[in-house]
Amino acid sequence: MTDNTTRLDHVVLWVHDPVASADFYEKALGMEPVRLTDFAAGAVSFPSVRLNDETIFDLMALSTAPSMTMVPGAADSAGHPVNHVCLAMPGDDFEALRGRLEERSVPVSDISYDSFGARGTARRSFYFRDPDGNVFEARHYD
């Protein structure tokens, strides 16, 4: 990729079990695992899942919180997920995601209409949690 404009690169999510979380993101959300085999072999400290060509979610084990020393107090973020992460997608993918979540008995919110976001007003959106309690919003603009 040669476009160096500012964009979202990754989000780090605290999770209890990175392998189980990768399985959830792969099967329920359709995200491709990255470095999962290397993680399972102990070669890397965390796996990721790919949202798109430009963005990944790193799945960081909560047990590693004490080693987070990049800035003072970084370990204190463990157990305090962001309010929510919003995934924008085409309408067909929105419907498919909701169906996969419901098939897995993942509770989903009612559908909201005409909510504001980065691309203007989204037609529909709904919320759900991953197995570690991180909140996601799914929406589509078309």
Side-chain angles (χ1 to χ4, degrees):
M1 181 171 162
T2 58
D3 180 359
N4 288 321
T5 58
T6 302
R7 61 190 71 226
L8 183 63
D9 183 84
H10 69 275
V11 174
V12 178
L13 299 173
W14 289 115
V15 300
H16 293 296
D17 180 343
V19 173
S21 293
D23 183 67
F24 171 81
Y25 284 99
E26 178 181 20
K27 292 183 176 140
L29 277 71
M31 299 171 78
E32 174 191 352
V34 178
R35 304 183 337 153
L36 187 58
T37 303
D38 292 338
F39 173 75
V44 298
S45 56
F46 58 88
S48 304
V49 288
R50 182 161 298 286
L51 175 65
N52 58 38
D53 289 343
E54 301 176 352
T55 309
I56 59 175
F57 293 166
D58 294 336
L59 306 174
M60 187 70 64
L62 250 145
S63 61
T64 65
S67 67
M68 297 291 113
T69 58
M70 68 288 284
V71 295
D76 295 337
S77 70
H80 301 282
V82 297
N83 180 267
H84 73 277
V85 174
C86 182
L87 307 173
M89 59 194 62
D92 290 346
D93 292 348
F94 176 91
E95 294 293 341
L97 170 60
R98 191 170 176 96
R100 287 192 308 271
L101 292 169
E102 289 173 345
E103 285 172 7
R104 288 169 175 74
S105 301
V106 175
V108 296
S109 73
D110 290 337
I111 298 214
S112 299
Y113 298 91
D114 302 322
S115 56
F116 178 77
R119 299 178 192 172
T121 302
R123 279 191 58 208
R124 299 181 301 161
S125 64
F126 70 90
Y127 294 85
F128 63 95
R129 290 182 184 268
D130 76 0
D132 292 286
N134 295 300
V135 178
F136 287 84
E137 176 185 358
R139 64 170 43 198
H140 74 92
Y141 288 91
D142 58 354

